[in-house]
Amino acid sequence: NAGVTQTPKFQVLKTGQSMTLQCAQDMNHNSMYWYRQDPGMGLRLIYYSASEGTTDKGEVPNGYNVSRLNKREFSLRLESAAPSQTSVYFCASSEHTEAFFGQGTRLTVV
Amino acid sequence: KNEVEQSPQNLTAQEGEFITINCSYSVGISALHWLQQHPGGGIVSLFMLSSGKKKHGRLIATINIQEKHSSLHITASHPRDSAVYICAVPGYGGSQGNLIFGKGTKLSVKP
């Protein structure tokens, strides 16, 4: 049972490049989330999806788009990366109880 | 928006010591989460509690809903307990996954 799987684990982008962070869960959870973690800030919610086919903005959505492809997968896209998007990104899923987190993606935008 | 405050920010202890980490929040909640983040970066859920106390091994979490306060205790601390401990409460829409996080308490346990 893999839980929540994120790819890639590390990525370096140049300013203006685009990329998609992938997330998949095998726990049949309805709800999935994308967070970013910055030093001194704690984790902050970027986007979430309460169920397949729905997505909603969180606290810091600017510069990101998401797709809930199916119940298992929830991707995060940076259309034009900026240095301010340098961060560690976590995907999570939950179903009424505790949240389960992926291992994180460390993204650096230069 | 709920505000989550943790204390202390950093904590150094000797192996075997009893440790307490505190969390307070500003708006009433249905449940509170304690999470652990190891130096490698992965985040693991330790507890989700809505009242009273929960215990798992050497970890004990308590919550006082009226005072909007929770504590995480570690008994007989060990170097492998060194990690960042994060308190979180439901935020957007009240879902248990839409969380608002504290900034974390970095614990270092020395042998």
Side-chain angles (χ1 to χ4, degrees):
Chain A
N1 189 342
V4 179
T5 304
Q6 275 182 250
T7 56
K9 286 188 170 53
F10 301 93
Q11 183 72 49
V12 178
L13 289 178
K14 292 182 179 178
T15 298
Q17 286 186 317
S18 62
M19 79 160 293
T20 299
L21 280 65
Q22 307 286 353
C23 175
Q25 52 93 8
D26 61 4
M27 295 171 283
N28 204 38
H29 289 165
N30 279 306
S31 301
M32 297 185 73
Y33 315 87
W34 276 106
Y35 294 95
R36 60 178 288 173
Q37 185 178 38
D38 302 294
M41 297 289 293
L43 288 123
R44 292 179 292 169
L45 182 66
I46 305 171
Y47 270 94
Y48 67 100
S49 170
S51 62
E52 184 179 351
T54 68
T55 60
D56 285 286
K57 295 178 180 179
E59 183 181 356
V60 288
N62 292 344
Y64 305 95
N65 286 301
V66 290
S67 295
R68 184 72 182 270
L69 305 169
N70 47 56
K71 194 170 186 180
R72 287 188 66 248
E73 298 172 290
F74 188 39
S75 62
L76 179 72
R77 183 160 179 83
L78 288 71
E79 289 291 353
S80 179
S84 61
Q85 294 177 304
T86 293
S87 188
V88 181
Y89 292 84
F90 287 94
C91 177
S93 72
S94 73
E95 190 73 39
H96 306 305
T97 56
E98 63 190 299
F100 294 84
F101 289 81
Q103 287 299 302
T105 297
R106 187 172 294 274
L107 175 67
T108 302
V109 183
V110 298
Chain B
K1 177 186 168 185
N2 219 332
E3 301 290 334
V4 180
E5 297 289 336
Q6 281 187 242
S7 63
Q9 284 189 327
N10 293 283
L11 182 56
T12 300
Q14 288 298 127
E15 184 173 355
E17 285 185 0
F18 180 84
I19 288 161
T20 296
I21 298 169
N22 296 300
C23 175
S24 61
Y25 51 93
S26 57
V27 178
I29 57 171
S30 56
L32 180 142
H33 300 251
W34 280 103
L35 308 161
Q36 181 191 56
Q37 185 171 27
H38 272 285
I43 298 172
V44 175
S45 177
L46 296 174
F47 295 102
M48 188 183 85
L49 68 165
S50 53
S51 64
K53 179 167 74 173
K54 283 191 175 181
K55 185 173 187 290
H56 184 217
R58 294 179 295 104
L59 300 177
I60 303 167
T62 63
I63 188 167
N64 185 318
I65 295 293
Q66 287 73 31
E67 294 187 4
K68 298 186 178 66
H69 181 268
S70 176
S71 293
L72 177 69
H73 305 286
I74 304 176
T75 62
S77 60
H78 189 276
R80 65 175 174 266
D81 297 325
S82 297
V84 176
Y85 293 84
I86 304 169
C87 166
V89 300
Y92 310 91
S95 164
Q96 296 303 339
N98 295 3
L99 296 170
I100 296 175
F101 296 82
K103 293 181 180 178
T105 295
K106 185 174 182 179
L107 172 66
S108 179
V109 181
K110 306 294 186 188

